[in-house]
Amino acid sequence: AWDISRRGEFYFNSDKNSESLKYLALVEHDKAIHDGFTDQHKFCCDFEDLNFDRSMVGSFIEALKLLNGLSKHVYFTLIPNDPEFARSRDTKERLKLALDRIHVESGVPYIETKPQMDHEDYFDVIHFNGKGREKYSRAFAETIVGHIKE
């Protein structure tokens, strides 16, 4: 379902046992599905240019500050996108500026997890399939444990 308050994010408003969720859980990398969802995300979600909304970034910073007051182990990270999708230099600079702002204003460290992800690990350009979720989850767990032990 489309939810304008989520700025284009799709979510499933059905129960966890629905046929649609069972289907999506089983989908591995399929080029036609991947390309279709990639085009859909380009249309709705600004994942290509990353023109960050200052107020939304500010709200994220405030949430991190709140969490930082509740726990000594608060971090933020980005999920890597399909390695075959390349962002422009300008887009990478906007991303870096946003990450720097979030870190400086929230006081919360950014953690970068860089597992070796492959094109076949993605359901579409920004979402993992089952294989990708497992691969990234293992790498993220190793990274976060290293930070917590420090």
Side-chain angles (χ1 to χ4, degrees), residues 12-26:
F12 294 94
N13 57 2
S14 56
D15 68 64
K16 292 180 181 177
N17 296 317
S18 74
E19 289 302 312
S20 60
L21 289 180
K22 287 178 186 176
Y23 168 76
L24 284 174
L26 296 173

Side-chain angles (χ1 to χ4, degrees), residues 49-50 87-97:
D49 296 324
L50 299 178
R87 290 195 164 109
S88 71
R89 186 180 344 198
D90 290 343
T91 299
K92 289 176 184 175
E93 183 60 26
R94 277 192 295 280
L95 177 59
K96 182 183 178 331
L97 290 171

Side-chain angles (χ1 to χ4, degrees), residues 4-138:
I4 192 68
S5 69
R6 295 172 184 235
R7 295 181 48 93
E9 176 182 349
F10 284 90
Y11 69 98
F12 294 94
N13 57 2
S14 56
D15 68 64
K16 292 180 181 177
N17 296 317
S18 74
E19 289 302 312
S20 60
L21 289 180
K22 287 178 186 176
Y23 168 76
L24 284 174
L26 296 173
V27 171
E28 289 298 319
H29 185 80
D30 178 282
K31 182 166 177 29
I33 292 172
H34 181 278
D35 292 348
F37 274 94
T38 297
D39 291 343
Q40 181 179 359
H41 288 308
K42 285 180 184 179
F43 174 74
C44 75
C45 305
D46 189 35
F47 76 89
E48 238 178 342
D49 296 324
L50 299 178
N51 293 302
F52 294 100
D53 181 300
R54 289 192 59 77
S55 66
M56 288 185 75
V57 173
S59 294
F60 183 63
I61 290 167
E62 291 306 312
L64 287 175
K65 286 179 181 177
L66 177 67
L67 292 169
N68 210 22
L70 299 173
S71 175
K72 62 181 181 176
H73 297 292
V74 177
Y75 310 96
F76 74 101
T77 192
L78 288 176
I79 305 297
N81 53 267
D82 184 333
E84 290 191 8
F85 173 73
R87 290 195 164 109
S88 71
R89 186 180 344 198
D90 290 343
T91 299
K92 289 176 184 175
E93 183 60 26
R94 277 192 295 280
L95 177 59
K96 182 183 178 331
L97 290 171
L99 294 175
D100 290 348
R101 175 185 172 206
I102 293 165
H103 169 66
V104 168
E105 292 183 27
S106 71
V108 172
Y110 170 71
I111 294 178
E112 190 164 14
T113 302
K114 288 188 165 186
Q116 182 59 45
M117 302 303 291
D118 302 310
H119 181 65
E120 292 75 24
D121 294 329
Y122 290 82
F123 173 74
D124 60 32
V125 74
I126 56 178
H127 296 104
F128 298 127
N129 59 27
K131 180 180 150 200
R133 281 190 304 274
E134 184 175 335
K135 185 187 286 188
Y136 181 79
S137 295
R138 289 182 190 282

